[in-house]
Amino acid sequence: MLLKRPLNSWLLAPPALLLLISASLPPACSTDTGKTDKPAAAKAKPAQTPADSSLRGYFQFPIKPGQPNLLAASMGELRPNHFHGGLDIKTDGGVDRPVYAAAEGYISRLKQSSFGYGNVLYITHPNGLTTVYGHLNHFRGPVAAELLKRQYEKQTYELELHFQPGQFPVQKGEVVALSGNTGGSAGPHLHWEVRDAKDNQLNPLQWGGFAEIQDHVPPTALMTAVEPLSIDARVQGRFEKRLFAPTGTPATGFVVPDTIPAYGTVGLLLQAFDRFDNAWNKNGLQRVEVLVNGKPWHEHFINGIGFPDDTRQVNHFTDYDYTMSAGRTLQKLWIDDGNTLPIYRTGPLRGKLRVEPGQVYTVEIRMADSYGNTTPLRMVLRGEQPAYWQTRSATVRKPTLRYDVLRNILRVTVDDTARQAPNLTLLRTGRQLQLKASYTDQSRTVYLYDLRAGLPDSLRFPGIRTAQRFDRQAMIPAGTEQLFANQYLSLAFAPRSIYDTLYLQTSYKDGLWTIQNARTPVQEALRVTLKPPVPVVDKARSAVYMVRGNAKIWQGNRWDGENITFATRIFGQFRILTDTIPPSARLVSKSAAGLVFKVGDDLSGLASYALTVGGQWRRLRFEHKNSTLFTENQDTLGPRLRGPASLRITDQAGNEKVINFNL
């Protein structure tokens, strides 16, 4: 039985680990220079199909129907690498609560796993919709017996089964399972979804909500931001995202008190949350509308997300680079290049705002939840023509240079002691380009350059003896297959590997390969081949691991000669490591009620396990959250727990551990 943890399962890890292994979105290339004095009205074409009124009351609430209840999470909340695809229903902090079929239909699919949705059940209904019930503890009814039989036939616990219509029919209100805390769940609850025939995840609250869940609380705004999107753009005179903390309350609305000077093409961003009645936890928004000078400008409405193709685009819907670097999740109120989510209603500038000198732009951001509670946030932008300006700081002692890449723009910042900012020189194959300073802020002079004109080899500044090498090696466009290779590695990009143009950065030193950085996400997997300069001796037990601090995460081990290839959706740092230590296992409890084992592995992770009693296979359940294997009383097909027994576990490097004992 394979326990190789799929890459997606890491997306459900605790937040601290998520920040270590996630990556963030490179800002898209957008330098919209179309000018308009007045905002154009948003197009009237709806982003999604309107809610079907015939479904009002169709579904029964699956936990404690008819009684007041609470949600731990709502549809569309912004999670690392995915939109939350349904409702998380609280189960009073415990497990084994009855889970009721939301409508009549048949069980079309179920799966038992220690990761992801854990134990999950799918019920397909006569109208073509399917309800999904995740993180279950146990299944109920004839389907549970069928699963047990098939597990013994295949001698595996982790199993996914599909069924035909009529094979396992269920009635509305029938108990089909008991709630749990399995898979990637961080606490006991029921994850409940509604999907259509194309596997789009739909908001279960869109058909009038449920009496069990009450919501009279409008959303709360935490922060808003304005970001330059074109090389000529400025916010408060700077080429950088500027954050503004609004004042107000959900009852009165929020406002940014001061007028914001800006110029060029800018984008608005928002951090906000919603709450349900009688609940402390923060939930997501369903709808955000932007009005400029009283006219509709842009809207997104999260009532449905395509699964799995669209859900990972949350990394493009939010400013994921900022999330990873600053720990604050801001949703973009414009459609960035490469974003194909069908959740928008927008105008010709796709939500971007072109700010002209002397013009005033009154912006209202309306935040709404699934129950129609709405809160406004208001602010004013004033167009101000940018010009070179400078302020000086006595703390600067000698020139230092650093740079970053924002969308297509190279931003160079130099701490400079000069009274007048000199030019910055970009060098490329013997040619030179002189860049004038854009502004100097506290003796930090900023220079801007559009990388689409060509990548420089190095940067030179007066007073700094050595030119600084530019470490971006190639411009990788999105939407096509691309191959990059050097003496240390090769990268094969699929058309959907990256969201937008990537300015690629790789390096190798002392057995450590660096590919881009942890703030750059990957949409679909790219193929990576590492070329070790020194041959690896024990290839059978060696694999690629992503390295983040003390964490080492197994990636793959397909060898072709002296090179090793793996697929990844995470940029970062990688090493080839050899695992020669067998996994650990010990029997911590044995009784008539069952067996419990504590298991672990120091590097590659468990790949398989098997318990035999008297030479016969006995089903074990694995729980990765507490690293235990255990038998279950519900097992009526396995041998009795009497006599000689053996547990055999294997890690992904092929190391094996066997413990023998008597029952």
Side-chain angles (χ1 to χ4, degrees), residues 468-486:
Q468 183 163 333
R469 185 179 67 88
F470 184 64
D471 64 358
R472 306 302 171 101
Q473 298 153 295
M475 182 176 70
I476 309 294
T480 61
E481 293 184 355
Q482 298 287 328
L483 180 65
F484 172 85
N486 60 24

Side-chain angles (χ1 to χ4, degrees), residues 11-12 15 18-19 22 78-83 312 314-315 320:
L11 308 180
L12 297 169
L18 288 170
L19 291 177
S22 295
L78 310 178
R79 303 289 180 83
N81 298 304
H82 70 286
F83 290 96
R312 194 171 175 87
V314 70
N315 291 347
Y320 208 73

Side-chain angles (χ1 to χ4, degrees), residues 12 41 43 51 103 108 263 333 354 395 432 521 549 561 567 581 616 637:
L12 297 169
K43 294 179 181 178
S108 53
Y263 177 80
L333 304 185
R354 184 71 189 181
T395 60
Q432 298 184 6
I581 301 175
Q616 293 182 279
L637 295 183

